[in-house]
Amino acid sequence: MQEFPPPPKAAEFNDLIKKRLEEVKNRGGTRETVTVDWNGQPLNVEVIDLPLLGLYYNPATHRIRAQRTHDAKKDMALRAEPWGETGQEYLDELLKAEPADPTRRDPAFDKLKESLKEYGQNDPGLITHQGILVNGNTRAAALNELGAVSMRVGVLPESFTWADINAVELSLQLRKDHRRDYSYINRLLAMEEQASLGRTPEAIAKAFRIQVKTYDQERWILRVVRDQIERSEIGKATLRLVDFEDHQEKLKELHRDFSKLAASDPDRAEALKETRMAAITLGFSKTDVRHIEEGFQEYYLSSVLPPRLVPEVEQEESISVPGLGLSVPGASSRVSAARELNRRVLQAKACVAASETTEEEKRGAQLLQDDVRNAFDKAIDRAGRDARLRKRKQIAPERLMDACAAIELCVGELVKARASHSLDESAFDEAALKLRDSLRQLAQQAGRGSHEPGEGVRWLLEAASLGRD
């Protein structure tokens, strides 16, 4: 957790806050307060009006932590001078932007702005004694655009540390009635921060109102995302956390399928993860990514990849474990090939998006992306057709098994009805006739084109023929 020095003129602003608080106290009557959660206890703080020009956006806010990676130069300026004009303008820009694409203005921000314009500020923000906004950063940005001169804010105790500030911001965000959630990656970063402070998985899961297994899933996803970013680096170009904002459901499904497969075949699970992450990076939809299952690489993708994109890899040699005198097998050629292809996709994506790369480098990277995407398109289409064919093959037996289960339930209900003398004999007889007709239709279709029917179909044909006129 990063800590920041006090803003300029923090002492003067602190004096202004103390004067305003004293004025509210001496005025008498009902005083407005806001309640925050601190160390599991409610804390009531006084609300006052303060000039917007004296307030600072919080450089440590969880709301746009991932989005700060959007522009590396501006992020460096923010880290160097968090209260400087460049850093504060960058925060203002990100607070108004879409979480998944900071180059675009967020419609949700404009809705907030319109609400403030029409109804005014309903809920107070929250600041430190130094004028740093702990809660209400986005509202402050909207009020600034509207030309407002002041903002209603609750004032935290003067003794609060950065750890206290972050804890209060997180508790406010996790209230069920909060109007605007953190973006997905920022939520993962908030969990990571809590873990770095020594909190247990059980405590973090409880704070975020999720199960421990969901917390474990989220931490796995963030590790995978960080690994993808690290491997995407080529020169000065690299992917950013914000590039993974829109992939929440795809990443969650990847974790579920990876975990299930890893229990029986870790090698194939790793190849699955690499291949799916390449497809996610290329921007394929959730339904397309689902078709990338075990064996996708061998059965579908390898045959349609251009020869220049087929990785030339061999199985890695065994890896020795230092200090133990043991060796473990290296990655198989299947995993190595998937990792290498994914690395190329990651670096191409980073190269195309980076401002530092030349036009020639961008063209080469874009060509590689297009070629790999076309190959994935063909492979996913074929895998999808095969999946639909398998489903059609399985649906008739599944329907019959459902019918068997229904008949078994019927047997139990029939016994109960006879025991209580409540059976409607006429209705049951009609239902039995309907069953006979349905079995005859099923037998007719099952017997078509089957020169050597199996035992079950033979029985069905014989049963359906009983009682015919």
Side-chain angles (χ1 to χ4, degrees):
M1 181 178 62
Q2 185 177 359
E3 297 194 6
F4 298 90
K9 300 183 179 180
E12 292 91 328
F13 203 77
N14 189 9
D15 290 340
L16 174 62
I17 288 175
K18 288 178 178 178
K19 287 179 182 178
R20 294 283 173 92
L21 288 171
E22 188 66 25
E23 289 171 359
V24 169
K25 181 179 178 181
N26 294 334
R27 192 181 302 153
T30 304
R31 287 146 57 181
E32 183 183 6
T33 61
V34 61
T35 304
V36 298
D37 180 73
W38 184 50
N39 291 336
Q41 299 293 325
L43 174 67
N44 294 315
V45 299
E46 298 277 1
V47 175
I48 57 176
D49 259 29
L50 286 173
L52 269 170
L53 287 175
L55 303 181
Y56 289 92
Y57 296 127
N58 181 7
T61 180
H62 297 87
R63 180 168 300 286
I64 52 172
R65 192 163 295 182
Q67 285 67 36
R68 283 176 50 176
T69 62
H70 168 65
D71 189 316
K73 289 182 179 178
K74 290 182 179 179
D75 191 37
M76 286 182 64
L78 176 62
R79 289 175 183 275
E81 296 185 42
W83 318 116
E85 185 177 349
T86 302
Q88 287 288 302
E89 284 181 353
Y90 186 42
L91 291 172
D92 183 76
E93 175 188 327
L94 294 177
L95 287 165
K96 301 171 184 176
E98 281 190 4
D101 185 2
T103 62
R104 299 172 60 184
R105 190 174 171 96
D106 191 355
F109 176 81
D110 287 323
K111 288 182 180 178
L112 171 64
K113 181 180 170 182
E114 285 301 312
S115 175
L116 287 168
K117 182 179 180 180
E118 185 172 357
Y119 303 108
Q121 184 188 351
N122 293 323
D123 302 314
L126 199 65
I127 64 164
T128 69
H129 265 256
Q130 298 173 332
I132 303 167
L133 283 156
V134 177
N135 187 43
N137 284 270
T138 312
R139 272 172 284 167
L143 288 169
N144 272 316
E145 276 204 357
L146 290 170
V149 296
S150 65
M151 180 177 180
R152 285 175 32 253
V153 290
V155 183
L156 291 172
E158 194 171 0
S159 62
F160 263 41
T161 65
W162 276 102
D164 297 326
I165 291 168
N166 280 321
V168 166
E169 186 206 5
L170 190 61
S171 69
L172 285 168
Q173 175 56 42
L174 295 176
R175 283 182 179 176
K176 291 182 179 179
D177 59 349
H178 205 277
R179 291 184 178 180
R180 193 181 178 204
D181 292 334
Y182 288 152
S183 68
Y184 179 57
I185 297 297
N186 285 324
R187 188 176 172 86
L188 300 187
L189 292 174
M191 290 184 195
E192 180 184 55
E193 180 185 276
Q194 293 297 300
S196 72
L197 296 174
R199 299 189 69 187
T200 65
E202 291 77 16
I204 298 172
K206 183 178 180 180
F208 280 81
R209 299 181 176 90
I210 57 176
Q211 295 181 338
V212 173
K213 65 178 182 181
T214 305
Y215 166 77
D216 292 337
Q217 179 189 63
E218 304 288 43
R219 294 305 307 277
W220 182 90
I221 288 172
L222 186 57
R223 286 195 297 271
V224 169
V225 166
R226 290 198 184 281
D227 175 64
Q228 300 296 295
I229 291 172
E230 183 179 338
R231 289 163 56 197
S232 73
E233 187 174 348
I234 177 169
K236 294 183 178 181
T238 183
L239 290 180
R240 308 150 304 174
L241 287 167
V242 70
D243 293 318
F244 296 86
E245 277 286 11
D246 274 346
H247 304 311
Q248 176 178 351
E249 291 305 318
K250 286 177 270 188
L251 292 169
K252 285 179 177 291
E253 288 188 1
L254 169 60
H255 175 263
R256 287 194 292 268
D257 293 343
F258 174 88
S259 301
K260 190 184 301 181
L261 185 55
S264 58
D265 194 334
D267 200 59
R268 285 188 174 275
E270 194 65 27
L272 173 71
K273 182 188 76 176
E274 293 293 331
T275 310
R276 278 205 185 177
M277 285 308 302
I280 290 171
T281 302
L282 289 167
F284 281 92
S285 69
K286 180 170 64 176
T287 52
D288 284 339
V289 173
R290 282 176 182 162
H291 291 311
I292 300 175
E293 299 177 319
E294 179 188 358
F296 176 87
Q297 182 183 349
E298 303 98 302
Y299 301 132
Y300 301 106
L301 184 59
S302 297
S303 61
V304 293
L305 272 175
R308 70 184 184 87
L309 295 178
V310 177
E312 295 181 4
V313 294
E314 297 179 359
Q315 178 155 342
E316 296 179 9
E317 297 179 0
S318 59
I319 303 168
S320 60
V321 181
L324 296 179
L326 301 174
S327 297
V328 296
S332 71
S333 57
R334 179 194 300 113
V335 174
S336 298
R339 284 183 62 84
E340 175 61 18
L341 180 61
N342 187 24
R343 182 189 66 82
R344 293 184 189 180
V345 170
L346 291 167
Q347 291 185 345
K349 178 85 170 182
C351 186
V352 169
S355 57
E356 297 87 353
T357 52
T358 66
E359 288 302 316
E360 184 178 353
E361 288 172 330
K362 287 182 187 291
R363 283 195 295 271
Q366 187 62 59
L367 179 61
L368 185 145
Q369 275 197 101
D370 292 343
D371 287 347
V372 177
R373 184 176 178 84
N374 288 336
F376 265 88
D377 257 328
K378 294 175 183 176
I380 288 173
D381 180 65
R382 183 180 166 193
R385 282 188 279 113
D386 285 356
R388 288 190 291 274
L389 181 61
R390 286 195 301 273
K391 190 173 181 179
R392 284 198 297 271
K393 288 180 177 179
Q394 295 168 358
I395 195 165
E398 287 176 358
R399 295 283 191 194
L400 191 54
M401 291 302 295
D402 289 343
C404 292
I407 290 175
E408 288 172 3
L409 289 173
C410 177
V411 171
E413 294 299 329
L414 179 61
V415 171
K416 292 178 185 178
R418 288 202 182 280
S420 61
H421 305 287
S422 60
L423 179 65
D424 186 335
E425 298 280 359
S426 177
F428 185 80
D429 189 64
E430 288 182 16
L433 290 174
K434 177 61 179 173
L435 174 62
R436 181 195 63 186
D437 294 340
S438 297
L439 283 174
R440 285 177 176 173
Q441 292 177 36
L442 180 62
Q444 184 179 14
Q445 296 301 323
R448 285 184 176 179
S450 180
H451 301 296
E452 296 182 7
E455 181 181 353
V457 175
R458 286 200 306 272
W459 172 88
L460 179 61
L461 294 171
E462 292 171 2
S465 65
L466 293 176
R468 286 186 181 275
D469 294 335

